[in-house]
Structure formats: structure tokens, C-alpha cells
Amino acid sequence: MNMTFNVLLASLLIQTTASTTKIIFGSCSKVNEPQPLWPLIASRNPQLFAWLGDNIYSDRRHPNDKLSILKQAFSRDSDLTKLKPGQRPRFKPKTYQQHQEMYNQQKQIPEYALLSKTVPIIGTWDDHDCGINDADKYFSHKAERQQLHLDFLDVSLTDPRRQRQGVFNSYIVGRIKVILLDTRFHRDPWPWHPGAKDPIEMSDVLGEEQWEWLEKELTTILKNDIDLVLVGSGFQVLPVVAMASGKHETWYHFPSSKQRLLKLLSKSNVASILLSGDVHYAEVSSEVCTFENTDDTKRAIEFTSSGLTHAWNGPLNWPKPMPAPLAFRFAWFLWNFVGINPWRTHAYPGLNFGEIELLDQDNVVLRSIGVDNLTKFELTIQLNELIGGNDGNDGNEIEKDDVMTCTPMYGTPTQLQINVSKGLFLGIVLLFVVGILYGIGKLFWKCCCCMWRKRKNKKE
């Protein structure tokens, strides 16, 4: 770890008397695209910046794969049967040297370099900076790429992560504890990838070593020292896009791991909020958690920030080629019009970063900030509403082994609702395509008629 980072982080560890604590986080950044958000992040004077994954994009599509988006949209599960676990049909990792150079390029971006001199930067990884799309425990280069990730963050050669399998770690900033998970190194494959366990309920996200570490990190917190815990995952924990659940990366597909994580959060003495990235938009998701032996109700809240350089409704630089960015903008509009988002309370589809400000021992503010440095959504949460922080003062103390049930904020959608929303979505898309084809056909007919009249007039 370099000297600057060491001094900055040490100052944070003793800065427990500050009136507020502000942390900023973000994800999904391409080194070859414009990066307009770093000066804005610096101007807001955070005490910490946290990467939530896809910090660079170190994988690449196969050279002969020019229609990858169409292939992905119409691919069949049988297309994956020829692959070995860890392989992907349309992606392959860049070389070690290319991966390293991308990290160096990111560190040399002037605005990012300036931020790193004044604000401690920490982070975890997700698939694209781990080295391949949808990376899991079978990715063969994960150990060597872990060292590149740690080099990028200026982690000391004596840090435990240099010997550990996985990049998970924790930090204390003022009265906030930040826990960053590694959801790639030990994760079992998604149900649609080679090597997936059957049944999927047997699959795991973190690996037993990380689970034991996480439990210790959460259950040894003293309420006199810490008011809030932020637990970061590279991809989302609570929600799933019901209309496209088959290929949406989320803990939803690993129900036993998701339940285990939420139960661990409930056992903590301190209120917790989940953080995530990956999806190229900002979102707040919420579940209502109830317990078997008490009428107490808690909220599990997840704050997602994704899209530092590209987003669903950001610059027309993603996904390539055109007109895919326009199609994604249209899809975002449709999903909000006919889609089912029972977890979602807030959302923003443009370039963004997330800001968490702990105001006092009772309240925290979540903000999504856009490329114009304006707040796109904001909510203030009382800490006693959040999962965790159980001290029994209300006479309804939650026991460690109580059965906990968590459901989406606006109820679990029925299969009929999902089918109807899919039908509406496809119907509107079909009408849109038919309208476009009709317009093109009508224009072509008018051109033909115009040319015919001109030729007729010349003959006369």
C-alpha cells in the first residue's frame, strides 16, 4: 500500500468525532470511454470512495462475434453444453499484460489520479475486472488476476488479501463499517452456465471461508463504536427483473445464500444497508423482513449504483453497435411502463454514482448523483428501520435462531402478472417494429411514385 493511501486511511480510522460521514461508491467504468464523474465526486468531499466492480473491462468478445447482442438474445441453453466450466461462448480474457495495462491506464487518468491523492479508494471486483463475463469459481485465471486487482488498489504485499482466496475485506470510516464481499472467486455457476449444481439450492455465492469471516465481521461490532454497516456485493442481492429473470445476475438465483446473508445481517448489533453495482443504472430495492417469534418488522435495503461511463440512458456508447443504445433506452421506458419491479422504490438510468451520508446516530441519507452533479433521487432512512441493530429495547428482541421471512416491498408477483407483463412488452415492441416498417414502406412507396411521375412527365 502506498504511503498516501496509508496516511489517508489511518486518518479515517480515528475520525470518529466528525458530525457526518460521507461515502461515495460506483461501478462499471471503461478506460477508453469519457469519465466525467471523477471531478464531481471530488467536489462532494467524501471520506472514502469504493469501487463496486467492473472497475475496468478486461475481457473481450471473440473477434468473429459481430452480432453478439443478437446471439445473446436468441441463444439456447444447448449452445453452452459444448463448453467447459468457466468458459463463455462469446467472451475470452485478455492477457495478463493487457489486463495490467488497463489498470495502469485507469490510474493515469488525470481526474482519477487527482481524486486518489485526496480520498482513500477501496474496492471489490465483479466479472469484467475479474477477467471474463459472468466469472465464477471455475475461471482459471482468477488467482493471478486477484493480484492485479490488489496492485490497482495499492494494497500492501503484507496484507492478508495477498494470501487469501478472494478480495473480500472490511474498513472503518468514522462511525461506518464497510464490508466488501467477493462474489466471484468462490461462486458456483449460474443455472444457465456449465458446471451449475442441480438442484440450484445447493449452489453457493461466497464459499465457507468467506461466510465464516463475514459472520465474525458482523457479530463482533460494538454499537458504541459503529452506527451503520455497509455490505457491498458486485452484483445485486435483493431484486430480479421478473420479465428477464433467466439471465439476470442476482443472488435471487441462489436462495439459500441470499437467506443466509440476510439472516447474518439480522444477527448484527448494528443496522445494515446493502450496496451493489453491475446493472448500468441506479436503484434502491427493499424487502420487508418479519420474524417468527416477534411482531417486529425490519427493512432490508439495497442501494445500487452502476454506470460511471455507460448506462441504459447514458451516452450512446453502450451497448455497441448502433442502434442497440436506442433499443436499450426504449426497453428501459417499456420496463418501467409495463414491467414488474416489486423490490424497486427508486431508480435512475443515466450515468451516476451513489452517495451515503450518515447524518447522526439515527439517520442516513442515500443519494444518486448524475453527470450534472444534481441529485436524481434521495431518501432519508431511520437506522432503527433497518435490518440488524437489535438491542431488545422495545421488548421484541430478535433471537439468533428465529425464523426470518423477507418479501419484496410491494409483494411477490404472481406468474400470471409476469406473463401478462411479458405479453404487453412483446406486444408493444411488435407494434413499434411494425410501425417502423410501415413508415419505411410508406416512404419507399412515395419515393417510387415520385420517380414514376417524374419519368412520366419527361415522356410527355
Side-chain angles (χ1 to χ4, degrees):
M1 185 182 295
N2 63 27
M3 184 61 68
T4 302
F5 183 85
N6 229 346
V7 172
L8 287 169
L9 192 55
S11 68
L12 290 173
L13 293 175
I14 61 174
Q15 194 178 27
T16 57
T17 59
S19 57
T20 66
T21 303
K22 183 186 291 184
I23 290 174
I24 287 177
F25 74 104
S27 65
C28 302
S29 178
K30 294 186 176 182
V31 295
N32 295 320
E33 298 289 350
Q35 299 190 10
L37 297 180
W38 301 121
L40 308 184
I41 292 172
S43 72
R44 301 183 75 88
N45 299 313
Q47 283 131 307
L48 187 73
F49 175 80
W51 287 103
L52 261 291
D54 293 341
N55 312 325
I56 58 170
Y57 281 69
S58 61
D59 53 359
R60 54 184 172 176
R61 298 185 187 275
H62 288 291
N64 60 348
D65 188 13
K66 302 300 183 183
L67 299 175
S68 56
I69 294 176
L70 291 177
K71 289 181 179 179
Q72 185 172 358
F74 296 101
S75 64
R76 300 178 180 177
D77 293 338
S78 59
D79 296 338
L80 301 174
T81 58
K82 301 176 183 178
L83 299 176
K84 297 179 181 178
Q87 294 181 335
R88 298 293 174 260
R90 290 172 294 277
F91 291 85
K92 62 179 180 179
K94 292 190 175 182
T95 67
Y96 181 92
Q97 290 73 22
Q98 290 170 330
H99 196 157
Q100 185 178 48
E101 178 55 34
M102 292 186 80
Y103 275 133
N104 292 336
Q105 186 179 346
Q106 177 62 44
K107 293 178 74 171
Q108 292 168 11
I109 291 174
E111 296 81 2
Y112 179 79
L114 183 62
L115 177 72
S116 67
K117 292 179 181 179
T118 56
V119 177
I121 296 177
I122 63 173
T124 186
W125 62 7
D126 201 36
D127 51 349
H128 294 293
D129 48 339
C130 182
I132 197 168
N133 187 49
D134 295 348
D136 56 40
K137 69 180 184 181
Y138 291 112
F139 178 53
S140 58
H141 302 291
K142 61 183 181 180
E144 67 176 19
R145 304 307 167 95
Q146 174 176 334
Q147 299 306 314
L148 289 181
H149 167 85
L150 298 176
D151 291 342
F152 170 61
L153 295 174
D154 296 317
V155 174
S156 167
L157 295 177
T158 59
D159 189 281
R161 283 170 289 173
R162 292 290 185 176
Q163 307 300 321
R164 176 187 295 161
Q165 292 187 331
V167 302
F168 52 93
N169 203 31
S170 66
Y171 312 82
I172 294 177
V173 185
R175 296 186 64 81
I176 296 178
K177 183 169 187 175
V178 183
I179 298 175
L180 297 182
L181 303 176
D182 185 331
T183 56
R184 294 294 170 179
F185 201 100
H186 300 282
R187 183 182 62 75
D188 287 314
W190 299 113
W192 55 89
H193 279 154
K197 290 184 178 180
D198 186 18
I200 194 61
E201 286 74 15
M202 300 295 293
S203 296
D204 184 32
V205 175
L206 300 183
E208 202 55 41
E209 177 188 0
Q210 188 173 182
W211 279 118
E212 293 176 2
W213 170 86
L214 176 60
E215 182 169 13
K216 183 177 180 181
E217 290 288 325
L218 287 171
T219 56
T220 58
I221 300 172
L222 298 178
K223 293 193 69 171
N224 292 334
D225 300 329
I226 302 296
D227 294 319
L228 177 66
V229 178
L230 302 175
V231 179
S233 165
F235 53 84
Q236 290 186 308
V237 178
L238 300 182
V240 65
V241 177
M243 294 166 59
S245 61
K247 296 293 177 71
H248 180 189
E249 289 192 281
T250 163
W251 286 60
Y252 178 92
H253 294 295
F254 300 104
S256 59
S257 286
K258 178 182 174 182
Q259 178 69 11
R260 185 174 181 180
L261 175 61
L262 292 177
K263 190 62 187 294
L264 280 181
L265 296 182
S266 75
K267 291 168 63 175
S268 173
N269 293 324
V270 178
S272 302
I273 291 177
L274 294 161
L275 306 180
S276 60
D278 179 56
V279 290
H280 309 294
Y281 53 82
E283 183 176 45
V284 173
S285 307
S286 182
E287 288 193 358
V288 178
C289 299
T290 57
F291 300 84
E292 185 179 48
N293 297 320
T294 176
D295 57 0
D296 199 8
T297 299
K298 295 288 185 175
R299 293 176 63 191
I301 288 182
E302 178 175 353
F303 188 10
T304 300
S305 177
S306 175
L308 290 168
T309 62
H310 53 293
W312 280 71
N313 202 21
L316 297 177
N317 59 355
W318 173 86
K320 292 180 172 62
M322 285 292 283
L326 299 178
F328 269 53
R329 289 186 174 211
F330 181 60
W332 176 268
F333 167 76
L334 282 187
W335 277 344
N336 280 277
F337 182 65
V338 302
I340 299 174
N341 298 289
W343 289 269
R344 177 181 290 174
T345 62
H346 300 74
Y348 174 68
L351 297 186
N352 68 90
F353 57 87
E355 182 177 87
I356 304 113
E357 186 171 13
L358 183 65
L359 299 180
D360 49 43
Q361 291 183 315
D362 299 315
N363 299 281
V364 62
V365 180
L366 309 183
R367 302 185 186 95
S368 178
I369 311 298
V371 72
D372 53 5
N373 207 20
L374 297 179
T375 299
K376 302 306 176 181
F377 63 73
E378 174 179 314
L379 66 157
T380 300
I381 304 168
Q382 293 183 346
L383 297 185
N384 60 11
E385 299 177 21
L386 297 171
I387 192 170
N390 304 302
D391 56 11
N393 291 335
D394 58 359
N396 292 317
E397 184 172 3
I398 297 170
E399 299 295 334
K400 304 304 182 184
D401 57 352
D402 277 353
V403 175
M404 180 181 68
T405 303
C406 296
T407 56
M409 182 74 178
Y410 301 112
T412 303
T414 65
Q415 191 59 47
L416 177 61
Q417 289 175 308
I418 295 172
N419 291 339
V420 169
S421 67
K422 286 182 178 179
L424 285 171
F425 182 85
L426 293 175
I428 294 174
V429 170
L430 181 61
L431 288 174
F432 178 78
V433 171
V434 169
I436 293 294
L437 293 176
Y438 173 77
I440 293 174
K442 192 172 183 178
L443 181 62
F444 177 75
W445 177 253
K446 283 186 176 181
C447 290
C448 290
C449 291
C450 184
M451 292 174 63
W452 178 78
R453 290 192 187 96
K454 285 183 178 180
R455 287 182 180 179
K456 184 179 180 181
N457 291 336
K458 284 181 179 180
K459 289 181 179 180
E460 293 177 350

